[in-house]
């Protein structure tokens, strides 16, 4: 149940150079329900290519979004305090910089459980969320955040405008990488944005992915991995202008993009474009040793975990994250090495990591069972997790951080 693209997801070019294959892997967020434990977890090929025309890095397989973001999708943004703090800070900046008030409209694409829009709603600023995943959308509505359970694109944008809804601010965090119809999605943003409106978009930065070898953030939900050089022409193609770029540490390194209907590009855009050209990020050569570096980390991580096990250590893991599914399955770390994974997200507890079938439990089990080591799969939140698990550490527990280089702390 997947398709392979005929051309680049942004510019359509067929000049796509392969840069990495992660083989056949399960769906990263396809956590296995105990009731379904009999069946085989479907696996899909996962291959990454570089567009020689527009320098967009992308996965060539498309698994239908209806499969990825259905009832079984249990990613809830609110289970990370750091993500909530990050989002609140962004919201407060926007409220001030855009003078948002009761006459405004803030529209969020992939609004999940309302983790972001609640910051505006509590200030009586009208909001509307759009998210196709039933679970998170339901949680948002229960939290009083108006949410449409739908996929965003041109058609939905036109119907919102027909209802008189145009946005002062469009927020799109960690969704621009997920949409198969990339051009339709960006066209939809132009349609629904007020002329003096702004779209604020966050997406992982391909340079961090490659330089820090964050191979486990490559999975079927993430179709594109962006550079500013690949993004600027994408927005321009839809009469939008990339006016400012910020770099953020969240999720292993992300870009925050400020996009408008008028060309008011700030220096940050020019300096990123120049720096990317100077560093070679726009050339295929930049990506040619990536696969070798990924194999090296995978081998190093597997041997590190095996050595600990052979010494008689008991090992658990923290964070039933999408990236965890890829790291464990593509490295071959299964129930022979890891006893259980813990996660604060109650919707994930009691399920299994697909493929390797490691059980997921509540984080309190760490201090109860006291495994000798905890492999931190949600390494992007390692500081928050290690602070939270200070009790486990004081009792002698140790953490193994897998990316960018396996290290015990
Ligand atoms: O694009 C996406 C990125 C942004 O987030 C989504 N498609 C899916 C998701 O990817 P992920 O699952 O790899 O993301 P996280 O946010 O790194 O997942 C962290 C996991 O760890 C979550 O299940 C929540 C959990 N967690 C926890 O149990 N205790 C996280 C923190 C911070 C904690 O203290």
């Amino acid at each position: 149940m997947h398709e392979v693209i005929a051309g680049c997801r942004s510019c359509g070019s067929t000049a796509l150079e392969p840069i990495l294959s992660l083989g056949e892997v399960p769906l990263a967020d396809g956590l296995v329900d105990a009731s379904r434990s009999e069946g085989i977890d479907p696996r899909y090929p996962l291959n990454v290519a570089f567009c020689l025309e527009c320098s967009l890095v992308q996965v060539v397989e498309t698994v239908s979004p209806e499969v990825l973001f259905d009832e079984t999708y249990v990613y809830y943004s609110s289970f990370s305090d750091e993500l909530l703090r990050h989002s609140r800070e962004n919201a407060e900046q926007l409220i001030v910089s855009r003078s948002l008030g009761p006459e405004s409209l803030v529209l969020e694409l992939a609004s999940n459980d309302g983790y972001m829009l609640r910051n505006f709603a509590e200030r009586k600023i009208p909001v509307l969320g759009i998210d196709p995943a039933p679970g998170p959308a339901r949680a948002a509505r229960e939290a009083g955040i108006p949410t449409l359970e739908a996929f965003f694109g041109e058609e939905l944008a036109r119907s919102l405008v027909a209802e008189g809804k145009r946005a002062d601010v469009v927020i799109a965090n960690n969704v621009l990488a997920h949409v198969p119809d990339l051009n339709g999605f960006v066209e939809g943003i132009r349609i629904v944005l007020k002329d003096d409106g702004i779209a604020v978009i966050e997406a992982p930065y391909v340079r961090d992915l490659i330089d820090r070898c964050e191979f486990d953030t490559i999975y079927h939900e993430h179709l594109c991995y962006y550079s500013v050089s690949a993004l600027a022409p994408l927005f321009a193609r839809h009469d939008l202008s990339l006016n400012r770029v910020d770099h953020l540490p969240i999720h292993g390194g992300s870009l925050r993009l400020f996009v408008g209907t008028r060309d008011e590009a700030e220096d940050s855009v020019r300096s990123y474009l120049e720096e990317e050209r100077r560093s070679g990020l726009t050339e295929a050569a930049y990506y040619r040793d990536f696969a070798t570096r990924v194999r090296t980390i995978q081998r190093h991580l597997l041997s590190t975990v095996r050595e600990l096990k052979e010494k008689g250590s008991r090992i658990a893991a923290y964070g039933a994250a999408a990236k965890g599914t890829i790291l464990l399955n593509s490295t071959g770390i299964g129930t022979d090495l890891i006893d259980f994974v813990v996660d604060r997200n109650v919707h994930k507890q009691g399920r299994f990591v697909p493929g390797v079938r490691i059980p997921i439990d509540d984080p309190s089990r760490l201090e109860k069972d006291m495994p000798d080591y905890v492999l931190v799969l949600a390494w992007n939140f390692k500081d928050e997790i290690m602070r939270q698990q200070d009790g486990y550490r004081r009792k002698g527990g140790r953490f193994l951080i897998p990316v960018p280089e396996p290290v015990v702390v």
Side-chain angles (χ1 to χ4, degrees), residues 29 69 73 75 79-81 83 174 178 219 221-222 251 318-324 342-345 348 363 378 380-381 384-385 388:
D29 271 318
F69 305 108
Y73 183 76
Y75 181 79
F79 283 103
S80 160
D81 300 340
L83 188 61
N174 297 302
H178 298 60
Y219 43 87
E221 285 172 33
H222 288 172
H251 289 307
Y318 197 116
K323 58 177 73 67
V342 299
D343 197 293
R344 282 175 61 191
N345 179 339
K348 293 187 176 186
N380 47 314
F381 294 122
E384 175 179 351
I385 289 166
Q388 177 200 110

Side-chain angles (χ1 to χ4, degrees), residues 312-368:
S313 306
R314 284 180 315 115
I315 312 168
Y318 197 116
K323 58 177 73 67
T325 300
I326 300 304
L327 184 133
L328 296 168
N329 280 282
S330 70
T331 306
I333 295 177
T335 49
D336 56 330
L337 297 168
I338 304 284
D339 297 349
F340 57 87
V341 177
V342 299
D343 197 293
R344 282 175 61 191
N345 179 339
V346 291
H347 307 280
K348 293 187 176 186
Q349 295 165 6
R351 296 178 182 227
F352 298 82
V353 177
V356 289
R357 291 296 181 93
I358 300 172
I360 305 167
D361 208 328
D362 181 295
S364 61
R365 183 165 173 192
L366 290 183
E367 278 199 54
K368 251 184 269 145

Side-chain angles (χ1 to χ4, degrees), residues 160-205:
L160 289 171
V161 172
E163 291 165 24
K165 294 192 178 89
R166 292 190 72 190
D168 298 272
V169 175
V170 169
I171 295 171
N173 293 340
N174 297 302
V175 60
L176 196 63
H178 298 60
V179 289
D181 178 10
L182 184 54
N183 285 289
F185 187 85
V186 176
E187 182 66 15
I189 291 176
R190 186 191 61 72
I191 290 166
V192 80
L193 197 58
K194 281 182 181 169
D195 295 347
D196 60 353
I198 190 168
V200 183
I201 300 167
E202 278 182 32
Y205 188 28

